[in-house]
Amino acid sequence: MMRLLRKCRRIRKDEKGNTVVEFAMVAPVFIVMLIGVFDVAHTLYASSVLQGVMQKAGRDFTLENSGSNKTTLESFVTDQVSIVAPSATVTFEQKAYFDFGDVEQEEIFDDQNGDGICNANESFEDANDNGQWDADRGQAGNGGARDAVLFTATMTYPRLLPMAGLIGLPQNVELSSSTVLRNQPYDTQDRSVATRNCPP
C-alpha cells in the first residue's frame, strides 16, 4: 500500500509531458487564427488587385472605340484577377447615365397621391427608355457621348484555405468593384427623355 502511495505522489509531482498537453490545447486555436489571417490577407489583396484593374479598364472603357474593345477590356480584367485567384469567375455590368448625379438614382415621377410609389397612372420620365418605371435610371450598356458610365465587375472564387469549414464562413468569396467615368465628347449628348405613365 505504501508503495502505491509513493508511486502516486511521484506521478503527481512529475511534470514531464506538460508541454505536449499545453501544445495540444493551444495549437488548434493558433492554427485557426493563422489560417484566418492568411484568408483575410488574400481577400484584401484580391480586392485591391480588382480595384486597380477596374480603374485602368474604366479609363480605357470611356474612349471613343470602347464599344469595339469591350471584350478586350473584360478579358484584361479577367486575366489580371486570375493571377491572384486562378479559379475566379468574373461578371461585368455597364450602366449609362445622363450625368454623374444620376448614378443609381430612381426615375423621376409625379407622385400625385403622395404614397412614394409610382402607381395610379402617374407620369414618370423613362430615362432608360425601357417602358417601365425603375428604381435605377441607368440604361444597360456603354451609353453615348458624355454619358456617365458605371462599370462594375464582380469576381467570385472558392477560398484558397479551408477557413469556411472551420468557422462557418461561405465557401466562396465574392468581391465587387465599380468605377464611374464620363464618355469622351465625340458627339452631342442625347437629352431626349420619354414621358410615360405608371401602372394603374
Side-chain angles (χ1 to χ4, degrees):
M1 182 71 169
M2 286 298 281
R3 199 168 168 188
L4 181 64
L5 282 172
R6 268 186 270 135
K7 202 169 193 175
C8 286
R9 282 189 202 124
R10 219 176 328 134
I11 290 171
R12 192 175 62 192
K13 291 179 182 178
D14 190 1
E15 295 185 0
K16 293 176 190 169
N18 279 359
T19 307
V20 174
V21 173
E22 289 169 359
F23 181 77
M25 292 169 64
V26 173
V29 176
F30 177 72
I31 290 169
V32 167
M33 285 176 59
L34 195 61
I35 291 173
V37 167
F38 287 145
D39 188 71
V40 169
H42 181 265
T43 302
L44 290 174
Y45 181 58
S47 178
S48 68
V49 167
L50 178 63
Q51 289 175 15
V53 172
M54 280 298 293
Q55 291 301 316
K56 165 85 170 89
R59 285 190 298 274
D60 293 344
F61 198 74
T62 58
L63 299 176
E64 184 179 23
N65 62 351
S66 63
S68 61
N69 286 339
K70 181 180 176 206
T71 306
T72 307
L73 290 169
E74 290 180 356
S75 296
F76 170 72
V77 173
T78 304
D79 291 345
Q80 293 300 308
V81 298
S82 67
I83 295 170
V84 180
S87 55
T89 303
V90 186
T91 56
F92 299 93
E93 181 182 29
Q94 294 89 28
K95 283 191 177 178
Y97 301 85
F98 181 74
D99 206 347
F100 287 111
D102 294 335
V103 175
E104 295 186 328
Q105 296 297 312
E106 64 181 30
E107 292 179 322
I108 298 169
F109 68 97
D110 184 16
D111 191 12
Q112 293 176 349
N113 58 13
D115 64 356
I117 302 169
C118 183
N119 59 12
N121 232 17
E122 297 165 331
S123 63
F124 71 94
E125 293 181 4
D126 192 6
N128 56 19
D129 199 29
N130 68 351
Q132 64 184 25
W133 181 87
D134 293 295
D136 185 341
R137 66 177 74 174
Q139 186 173 23
N142 197 32
R146 295 182 181 267
D147 284 352
V149 179
L150 176 65
F151 185 37
T152 305
T154 304
M155 68 182 282
T156 307
Y157 63 92
R159 292 185 185 278
L160 297 179
L161 301 168
M163 195 63 201
L166 296 174
I167 60 171
L169 292 174
Q171 292 289 342
N172 292 326
V173 177
E174 184 174 295
L175 301 173
S176 185
S177 179
S178 297
T179 184
V180 183
L181 294 161
R182 187 183 290 280
N183 284 334
Q184 298 295 325
Y186 294 104
D187 199 355
T188 55
Q189 192 173 21
D190 182 11
R191 294 177 172 270
S192 60
V193 178
T195 303
R196 305 188 194 281
N197 288 44
C198 300

